Coordinates of all heavy atoms in Angstrom, one line a residue:
M112 N 4.5 -12.8 14.4 CA 4.4 -11.5 15.0 C 3.6 -10.6 14.0 O 4.0 -10.5 12.8 CB 5.8 -10.9 15.3 CG 5.8 -9.5 15.8 SD 7.5 -9.1 16.2 CE 7.1 -7.6 17.1
S113 N 2.7 -9.9 14.5 CA 1.8 -9.0 13.6 C 2.6 -7.8 13.2 O 3.3 -7.1 14.1 CB 0.6 -8.6 14.4 OG -0.2 -7.8 13.6
R114 N 2.5 -7.4 12.0 CA 3.0 -6.2 11.4 C 1.9 -5.4 10.8 O 1.7 -5.5 9.5 CB 4.2 -6.4 10.4 CG 5.4 -7.1 11.1 CD 6.5 -7.3 10.1 NE 6.9 -6.0 9.5 CZ 7.6 -5.9 8.4 NH1 8.0 -6.9 7.7 NH2 8.0 -4.7 7.9
P115 N 1.1 -4.6 11.5 CA 0.0 -3.9 10.9 C 0.5 -2.9 9.8 O 1.5 -2.2 10.0 CB -0.6 -3.1 12.1 CG 0.0 -3.6 13.3 CD 1.3 -4.3 12.9
A116 N -0.2 -2.9 8.7 CA 0.1 -2.1 7.6 C -1.1 -1.7 6.9 O -2.2 -2.2 7.1 CB 1.1 -2.8 6.6
Q117 N -1.0 -0.7 6.0 CA -2.1 -0.2 5.2 C -1.7 0.0 3.8 O -0.6 0.6 3.5 CB -2.7 1.1 5.8 CG -3.9 1.6 5.1 CD -4.4 2.8 5.8 OE1 -3.9 3.9 5.5 NE2 -5.4 2.7 6.7
L118 N -2.5 -0.4 2.8 CA -2.4 -0.1 1.4 C -3.0 1.3 1.2 O -4.1 1.5 1.6 CB -3.0 -1.1 0.5 CG -3.0 -0.9 -1.0 CD1 -1.6 -0.9 -1.5 CD2 -3.8 -2.0 -1.7
Q119 N -2.2 2.2 0.5 CA -2.8 3.5 0.2 C -2.6 3.8 -1.3 O -1.7 3.3 -1.9 CB -2.0 4.6 1.0 CG -2.2 4.5 2.5 CD -1.5 5.6 3.3 OE1 -0.6 6.2 2.9 NE2 -2.0 5.8 4.5
F120 N -3.5 4.7 -1.8 CA -3.6 5.1 -3.2 C -3.4 6.6 -3.3 O -3.9 7.3 -2.5 CB -4.9 4.7 -3.8 CG -5.3 3.2 -3.6 CD1 -6.0 2.8 -2.5 CD2 -4.9 2.3 -4.5 CE1 -6.3 1.5 -2.3 CE2 -5.2 0.9 -4.4 CZ -5.9 0.5 -3.2
N121 N -2.9 7.0 -4.5 CA -2.8 8.4 -4.8 C -3.0 8.6 -6.3 O -2.2 8.0 -7.1 CB -1.4 9.0 -4.4 CG -1.4 10.5 -4.5 OD1 -2.0 11.1 -5.3 ND2 -0.6 11.1 -3.6
T122 N -4.0 9.3 -6.7 CA -4.2 9.7 -8.1 C -3.9 11.1 -8.3 O -3.5 11.5 -9.4 CB -5.7 9.3 -8.5 OG1 -6.6 10.0 -7.7 CG2 -5.9 7.8 -8.5
S123 N -4.0 11.9 -7.3 CA -3.6 13.4 -7.4 C -3.9 13.9 -6.0 O -4.9 13.7 -5.4 CB -4.4 14.1 -8.4 OG -5.8 14.2 -8.1
G124 N -2.9 14.6 -5.5 CA -3.0 15.2 -4.2 C -2.6 14.3 -3.1 O -1.5 13.8 -3.1
S125 N -3.5 14.1 -2.1 CA -3.2 13.4 -0.9 C -3.4 11.9 -1.1 O -4.1 11.4 -1.9 CB -4.0 13.9 0.3 OG -5.4 13.7 0.1
W126 N -2.7 11.1 -0.2 CA -2.9 9.7 -0.2 C -4.2 9.3 0.4 O -4.7 9.9 1.4 CB -1.7 9.0 0.7 CG -0.4 9.1 0.0 CD1 0.5 10.1 0.1 CD2 0.0 8.2 -1.0 NE1 1.6 9.8 -0.7 CE2 1.3 8.7 -1.4 CE3 -0.5 7.1 -1.6 CZ2 2.1 8.1 -2.4 CZ3 0.3 6.5 -2.6 CH2 1.5 6.9 -3.0
R127 N -4.8 8.3 -0.1 CA -6.1 7.8 0.4 C -6.0 6.4 1.0 O -5.2 5.5 0.5 CB -7.1 7.6 -0.8 CG -7.3 8.9 -1.6 CD -8.1 9.9 -0.8 NE -8.4 11.0 -1.7 CZ -8.4 12.3 -1.3 NH1 -8.3 12.5 0.0 NH2 -8.6 13.2 -2.1
S128 N -6.6 6.2 2.1 CA -6.5 4.9 2.8 C -7.2 3.8 2.0 O -8.3 3.9 1.4 CB -7.2 5.0 4.2 OG -6.6 6.0 4.9
G129 N -6.5 2.6 2.0 CA -7.1 1.4 1.5 C -7.2 0.4 2.6 O -7.3 0.8 3.8
P130 N -7.2 -0.9 2.3 CA -7.3 -1.9 3.4 C -6.1 -2.0 4.3 O -5.0 -1.8 3.9 CB -7.5 -3.2 2.6 CG -6.9 -3.0 1.3 CD -7.0 -1.5 1.0
D131 N -6.4 -2.3 5.6 CA -5.4 -2.6 6.6 C -5.2 -4.1 6.5 O -6.1 -4.9 6.1 CB -5.9 -2.3 8.0 CG -6.0 -0.8 8.2 OD1 -5.5 0.0 7.4 OD2 -6.7 -0.4 9.2
F132 N -3.9 -4.5 6.8 CA -3.6 -5.9 6.7 C -2.4 -6.2 7.5 O -1.7 -5.2 8.0 CB -3.4 -6.4 5.2 CG -2.3 -5.7 4.5 CD1 -1.0 -6.3 4.5 CD2 -2.4 -4.4 4.0 CE1 0.0 -5.6 3.8 CE2 -1.4 -3.8 3.3 CZ -0.2 -4.4 3.3
D133 N -2.0 -7.5 7.7 CA -0.8 -7.8 8.4 C 0.3 -8.1 7.4 O 0.3 -9.0 6.7 CB -1.1 -9.1 9.2 CG 0.1 -9.6 10.1 OD1 1.2 -9.0 10.0 OD2 -0.1 -10.6 10.8
A134 N 1.3 -7.1 7.4 CA 2.4 -7.2 6.5 C 3.3 -8.4 6.7 O 4.0 -8.8 5.9 CB 3.2 -5.9 6.5
G135 N 3.2 -9.0 7.9 CA 4.0 -10.1 8.3 C 3.4 -11.4 7.8 O 4.1 -12.5 7.9
D136 N 2.2 -11.4 7.3 CA 1.5 -12.6 6.9 C 0.6 -12.4 5.7 O -0.4 -12.9 5.5 CB 0.6 -13.0 8.1 CG 0.0 -14.4 7.9 OD1 0.7 -15.3 7.2 OD2 -1.1 -14.7 8.3
V137 N 1.1 -11.5 4.8 CA 0.4 -11.2 3.6 C 0.8 -12.2 2.4 O 2.0 -12.4 2.2 CB 0.6 -9.7 3.1 CG1 2.0 -9.4 2.8 CG2 -0.4 -9.4 2.0
P138 N -0.2 -12.8 1.8 CA 0.2 -13.7 0.7 C 0.6 -12.9 -0.5 O 0.3 -11.7 -0.7 CB -1.1 -14.5 0.4 CG -2.2 -13.6 0.9 CD -1.6 -12.8 2.0
D139 N 1.4 -13.5 -1.4 CA 1.9 -12.9 -2.6 C 0.7 -12.4 -3.5 O 0.8 -11.4 -4.2 CB 2.7 -13.9 -3.5 CG 4.1 -14.2 -2.8 OD1 4.5 -13.4 -2.0 OD2 4.6 -15.3 -3.1
E140 N -0.4 -13.1 -3.4 CA -1.6 -12.7 -4.2 C -2.1 -11.3 -3.9 O -2.7 -10.7 -4.7 CB -2.7 -13.8 -4.0 CG -2.4 -15.1 -4.6 CD -1.6 -16.0 -3.6 OE1 -1.4 -15.6 -2.5 OE2 -1.3 -17.1 -4.0
F141 N -1.9 -10.9 -2.6 CA -2.3 -9.5 -2.2 C -1.6 -8.5 -3.1 O -2.2 -7.6 -3.6 CB -2.1 -9.3 -0.7 CG -2.5 -8.0 -0.2 CD1 -3.8 -7.8 0.2 CD2 -1.7 -6.9 -0.2 CE1 -4.3 -6.6 0.7 CE2 -2.1 -5.7 0.3 CZ -3.4 -5.5 0.7
L142 N -0.3 -8.6 -3.1 CA 0.5 -7.6 -3.9 C 0.2 -7.7 -5.4 O 0.2 -6.8 -6.2 CB 2.0 -7.7 -3.7 CG 2.4 -7.4 -2.2 CD1 3.9 -7.6 -2.1 CD2 2.0 -6.0 -1.9
Q143 N 0.0 -9.0 -5.9 CA -0.3 -9.2 -7.3 C -1.7 -8.6 -7.6 O -1.9 -7.9 -8.7 CB -0.3 -10.7 -7.6 CG 1.0 -11.3 -7.6 CD 1.0 -12.8 -7.6 OE1 -0.1 -13.4 -7.6 NE2 2.1 -13.5 -7.5
A144 N -2.7 -8.7 -6.7 CA -4.0 -8.1 -6.9 C -3.9 -6.6 -6.9 O -4.6 -6.0 -7.8 CB -5.0 -8.6 -5.9
A145 N -3.2 -6.0 -6.0 CA -3.0 -4.6 -6.0 C -2.3 -4.1 -7.3 O -2.7 -3.1 -7.8 CB -2.2 -4.2 -4.7
D146 N -1.3 -4.8 -7.7 CA -0.7 -4.5 -9.0 C -1.7 -4.5 -10.1 O -1.7 -3.5 -10.9 CB 0.5 -5.4 -9.3 CG 1.2 -5.1 -10.5 OD1 2.2 -4.3 -10.5 OD2 0.8 -5.6 -11.6
S147 N -2.5 -5.5 -10.2 CA -3.5 -5.6 -11.3 C -4.5 -4.4 -11.2 O -4.8 -3.8 -12.2 CB -4.2 -6.9 -11.2 OG -3.4 -8.0 -11.5
L148 N -4.9 -4.1 -10.0 CA -5.8 -3.0 -9.7 C -5.2 -1.7 -10.2 O -5.8 -0.9 -10.9 CB -6.2 -2.9 -8.3 CG -7.1 -1.8 -7.9 CD1 -8.5 -2.0 -8.5 CD2 -7.2 -1.7 -6.4
G149 N -4.0 -1.5 -9.9 CA -3.3 -0.2 -10.3 C -3.2 -0.2 -11.8 O -3.3 0.9 -12.4
R150 N -2.9 -1.3 -12.5 CA -2.7 -1.3 -13.9 C -4.0 -1.1 -14.7 O -4.1 -0.6 -15.8 CB -2.0 -2.5 -14.4 CG -0.5 -2.5 -13.9 CD 0.3 -3.7 -14.3 NE 1.6 -3.8 -13.7 CZ 2.6 -3.0 -13.9 NH1 2.5 -2.1 -14.9 NH2 3.7 -3.1 -13.3
L151 N -5.1 -1.5 -14.0 CA -6.4 -1.4 -14.7 C -7.1 -0.1 -14.3 O -8.2 0.2 -14.9 CB -7.3 -2.6 -14.2 CG -6.9 -4.0 -14.7 CD1 -7.7 -5.1 -14.0 CD2 -7.0 -4.1 -16.2
T152 N -6.5 0.7 -13.4 CA -7.1 2.0 -13.1 C -6.4 3.0 -13.9 O -5.5 2.7 -14.7 CB -6.8 2.2 -11.6 OG1 -7.3 1.1 -10.8 CG2 -7.5 3.4 -11.0
G153 N -6.8 4.3 -13.7 CA -6.2 5.4 -14.5 C -4.7 5.4 -14.6 O -4.0 4.7 -13.9
K154 N -4.2 6.2 -15.5 CA -2.8 6.2 -15.8 C -2.0 6.9 -14.7 O -0.8 6.7 -14.6 CB -2.5 6.9 -17.1 CG -3.0 6.2 -18.3 CD -2.7 6.9 -19.6 CE -3.3 6.1 -20.8 NZ -3.0 6.8 -22.0
H155 N -2.6 7.7 -13.9 CA -1.9 8.5 -12.9 C -2.2 8.0 -11.5 O -2.8 8.7 -10.7 CB -2.2 10.0 -13.0 CG -2.0 10.5 -14.4 ND1 -0.7 10.7 -14.9 CD2 -2.8 10.8 -15.4 CE1 -0.8 11.2 -16.1 NE2 -2.1 11.3 -16.4
I156 N -1.8 6.8 -11.2 CA -2.0 6.2 -9.9 C -0.7 5.8 -9.3 O 0.2 5.2 -10.0 CB -3.0 5.0 -9.9 CG1 -3.3 4.6 -8.4 CG2 -2.5 3.9 -10.7 CD1 -4.5 3.6 -8.3
G157 N -0.5 6.0 -8.0 CA 0.6 5.5 -7.2 C 0.0 4.7 -6.0 O -1.1 5.0 -5.6
M158 N 0.8 3.8 -5.5 CA 0.3 3.1 -4.3 C 1.5 3.0 -3.4 O 2.7 3.0 -3.8 CB -0.2 1.7 -4.7 CG -1.5 1.7 -5.4 SD -2.1 0.0 -5.7 CE -1.0 -0.5 -7.0
R159 N 1.2 2.8 -2.1 CA 2.3 2.5 -1.2 C 1.7 1.7 0.0 O 0.5 1.7 0.2 CB 2.9 3.8 -0.6 CG 1.9 4.7 0.2 CD 2.6 6.0 0.6 NE 1.7 6.7 1.6 CZ 2.1 7.9 2.1 NH1 3.3 8.4 1.8 NH2 1.3 8.5 2.9
I160 N 2.6 1.1 0.7 CA 2.2 0.3 1.9 C 3.0 1.0 3.0 O 4.2 1.2 3.0 CB 2.6 -1.2 1.8 CG1 1.8 -1.8 0.7 CG2 2.4 -1.9 3.1 CD1 2.2 -3.2 0.3
V161 N 2.2 1.4 4.0 CA 2.8 2.1 5.2 C 2.6 1.3 6.5 O 1.6 0.5 6.6 CB 2.2 3.5 5.4 CG1 2.5 4.4 4.2 CG2 0.7 3.5 5.6
I162 N 3.4 1.5 7.4 CA 3.3 0.9 8.7 C 2.2 1.5 9.5 O 2.0 2.7 9.4 CB 4.7 1.0 9.5 CG1 5.8 0.3 8.8 CG2 4.5 0.5 11.0 CD1 7.2 0.6 9.3
C163 N 1.5 0.7 10.3 CA 0.5 1.3 11.2 C 0.9 1.0 12.6 O 1.6 0.1 12.9 CB -0.9 0.6 11.0 SG -1.6 0.9 9.4
I164 N 0.4 1.9 13.5 CA 0.7 1.8 15.0 C -0.6 1.7 15.7 O -1.6 2.1 15.2 CB 1.5 3.0 15.5 CG1 0.8 4.3 15.2 CG2 2.9 3.0 14.9 CD1 1.5 5.5 15.9
P165 N -0.6 1.1 16.9 CA -1.8 0.9 17.7 C -2.4 2.3 18.1 O -1.6 3.2 18.3 CB -1.4 0.2 18.9 CG -0.1 -0.5 18.6 CD 0.5 0.4 17.5
N166 N -3.7 2.4 18.1 CA -4.3 3.7 18.4 C -4.8 3.8 19.9 O -5.4 4.8 20.3 CB -5.5 4.1 17.5 CG -6.6 3.2 17.6 OD1 -6.7 2.3 18.5 ND2 -7.6 3.4 16.8
G167 N -4.6 2.7 20.6 CA -5.1 2.7 22.0 C -6.5 2.2 22.2 O -6.9 2.0 23.3
S168 N -7.2 2.1 21.1 CA -8.6 1.6 21.2 C -8.8 0.3 20.5 O -9.9 -0.1 20.2 CB -9.6 2.6 20.6 OG -9.5 3.9 21.2
G169 N -7.7 -0.4 20.3 CA -7.8 -1.7 19.6 C -7.6 -1.7 18.1 O -7.5 -2.7 17.4
G170 N -7.6 -0.5 17.5 CA -7.4 -0.3 16.1 C -6.0 0.2 15.8 O -5.1 0.1 16.7
T171 N -5.8 0.7 14.6 CA -4.5 1.2 14.2 C -4.6 2.5 13.5 O -5.6 2.9 13.0 CB -3.7 0.2 13.3 OG1 -4.5 0.0 12.1 CG2 -3.5 -1.1 14.0
I172 N -3.4 3.2 13.5 CA -3.3 4.5 12.8 C -2.2 4.4 11.8 O -1.1 3.9 12.1 CB -3.0 5.7 13.7 CG1 -4.1 5.8 14.8 CG2 -2.8 6.9 13.0 CD1 -3.7 6.8 15.9
A173 N -2.4 4.7 10.5 CA -1.4 4.7 9.5 C -0.3 5.8 9.8 O -0.7 6.9 10.2 CB -2.0 4.9 8.1
T174 N 0.9 5.4 9.6 CA 2.0 6.4 9.8 C 2.5 6.8 8.4 O 2.0 6.4 7.4 CB 3.2 5.7 10.5 OG1 3.8 4.7 9.7 CG2 2.8 5.1 11.8
R175 N 3.6 7.6 8.3 CA 4.2 8.0 7.1 C 5.4 7.1 6.7 O 6.1 7.4 5.8 CB 4.6 9.4 7.1 CG 3.4 10.3 7.2 CD 3.8 11.8 7.1 NE 2.7 12.6 7.2 CZ 2.7 13.9 7.2 NH1 3.9 14.5 7.0 NH2 1.6 14.6 7.3
S176 N 5.6 6.0 7.5 CA 6.7 5.1 7.3 C 6.4 4.1 6.2 O 5.6 3.3 6.4 CB 7.1 4.4 8.6 OG 7.5 5.3 9.6
V177 N 7.0 4.3 5.1 CA 6.7 3.5 3.9 C 7.5 2.2 3.8 O 8.7 2.3 4.0 CB 6.9 4.4 2.6 CG1 6.6 3.5 1.4 CG2 6.1 5.6 2.7
L178 N 6.8 1.1 3.7 CA 7.5 -0.2 3.5 C 7.8 -0.5 2.0 O 8.9 -1.0 1.6 CB 6.7 -1.3 4.0 CG 6.4 -1.3 5.5 CD1 5.4 -2.4 5.9 CD2 7.7 -1.6 6.3
M179 N 6.8 -0.2 1.1 CA 7.0 -0.4 -0.3 C 6.2 0.7 -1.0 O 5.3 1.3 -0.5 CB 6.4 -1.8 -0.7 CG 7.0 -3.0 0.0 SD 6.2 -4.5 -0.5 CE 7.0 -4.8 -2.1
H180 N 6.6 0.9 -2.3 CA 5.8 1.8 -3.1 C 5.7 1.2 -4.5 O 6.4 0.3 -4.9 CB 6.4 3.2 -3.2 CG 7.7 3.3 -3.8 ND1 8.9 3.1 -3.1 CD2 8.1 3.5 -5.1 CE1 9.9 3.2 -3.8 NE2 9.5 3.5 -5.1
W181 N 4.6 1.6 -5.2 CA 4.3 1.1 -6.5 C 4.1 2.2 -7.5 O 3.4 3.2 -7.2 CB 3.0 0.2 -6.4 CG 2.6 -0.4 -7.7 CD1 2.9 -1.6 -8.1 CD2 1.8 0.2 -8.7 NE1 2.3 -1.9 -9.4 CE2 1.6 -0.8 -9.8 CE3 1.1 1.4 -8.9 CZ2 0.9 -0.5 -10.9 CZ3 0.4 1.7 -10.0 CH2 0.3 0.7 -11.0
T182 N 4.6 2.0 -8.7 CA 4.3 2.8 -9.9 C 4.1 1.8 -11.1 O 4.5 0.7 -11.0 CB 5.3 3.8 -10.3 OG1 6.5 3.1 -10.7 CG2 5.7 4.8 -9.1
R183 N 3.4 2.3 -12.1 CA 3.2 1.5 -13.3 C 4.5 1.1 -13.9 O 4.6 0.0 -14.4 CB 2.3 2.3 -14.3 CG 1.9 1.5 -15.5 CD 1.0 2.4 -16.4 NE -0.1 2.9 -15.7 CZ -1.3 2.3 -15.6 NH1 -1.5 1.1 -16.1 NH2 -2.3 2.9 -15.0
E184 N 5.5 2.0 -13.8 CA 6.8 1.7 -14.5 C 7.6 0.7 -13.7 O 8.3 -0.1 -14.3 CB 7.6 3.0 -14.6 CG 6.9 4.0 -15.6 CD 5.8 4.8 -14.9 OE1 5.7 4.9 -13.7 OE2 4.9 5.2 -15.7
T185 N 7.6 0.7 -12.4 CA 8.5 -0.1 -11.6 C 7.8 -1.3 -10.9 O 8.5 -2.2 -10.5 CB 9.2 0.7 -10.5 OG1 8.2 1.2 -9.6 CG2 10.0 1.9 -11.1
G186 N 6.5 -1.3 -10.8 CA 5.8 -2.3 -10.0 C 6.1 -2.0 -8.5 O 6.5 -0.9 -8.1
W187 N 6.1 -3.1 -7.7 CA 6.4 -2.9 -6.2 C 7.9 -2.9 -6.0 O 8.6 -3.7 -6.5 CB 5.8 -4.1 -5.4 CG 4.3 -4.0 -5.3 CD1 3.3 -4.7 -6.0 CD2 3.6 -3.0 -4.5 NE1 2.1 -4.3 -5.6 CE2 2.2 -3.2 -4.7 CE3 4.0 -2.0 -3.7 CZ2 1.2 -2.5 -4.1 CZ3 3.0 -1.2 -3.0 CH2 1.6 -1.5 -3.3
V188 N 8.3 -1.9 -5.2 CA 9.7 -1.7 -4.8 C 9.8 -1.5 -3.3 O 9.0 -0.7 -2.8 CB 10.3 -0.5 -5.6 CG1 11.8 -0.3 -5.1 CG2 10.2 -0.7 -7.1
N189 N 10.7 -2.1 -2.6 CA 10.9 -1.9 -1.2 C 11.4 -0.5 -1.0 O 12.3 0.0 -1.8 CB 11.9 -2.9 -0.6 CG 11.4 -4.3 -0.5 OD1 10.2 -4.5 -0.3 ND2 12.2 -5.3 -0.7
A190 N 11.0 0.2 0.0 CA 11.4 1.5 0.3 C 12.7 1.6 1.0 O 13.2 0.6 1.6 CB 10.3 2.2 1.2

């Protein structure tokens, strides 16, 4: 079953959209790669994975429902 989700980034201010993916079928390497990206980027970055809903045109819209969040201190944590 498909679970549409989106990776989002925040360095200051509002969240920025990243790639959409299927949270029900995401390999461990995806979260590991995002972790590496966050650690290699500036010191003030946060990431989160949010649920997406269908938009009626075959695409999806990101919601504010957070599945996981990431900080340099904690790594990935379920919301």
Side-chain angles (χ1 to χ4, degrees):
M112 180 176 187
S113 178
R114 291 183 61 198
Q117 184 180 83
L118 176 63
Q119 297 182 336
F120 305 90
N121 189 329
T122 55
S123 65
S125 63
W126 288 96
R127 306 286 185 215
S128 298
D131 292 345
F132 62 97
D133 182 355
D136 191 31
V137 64
D139 291 338
E140 292 85 4
F141 182 87
L142 295 178
Q143 293 168 359
D146 181 88
S147 294
L148 179 65
R150 292 182 189 285
L151 293 170
T152 307
K154 293 181 181 181
H155 304 290
I156 186 171
M158 293 185 284
R159 68 183 184 178
I160 296 173
V161 297
I162 296 170
C163 294
I164 58 172
N166 67 3
S168 300
T171 59
I172 300 170
T174 68
R175 293 183 181 184
S176 298
V177 179
L178 294 173
M179 300 179 81
H180 63 274
W181 180 94
T182 64
R183 186 180 304 275
E184 295 79 25
T185 63
W187 286 108
V188 177
N189 289 329

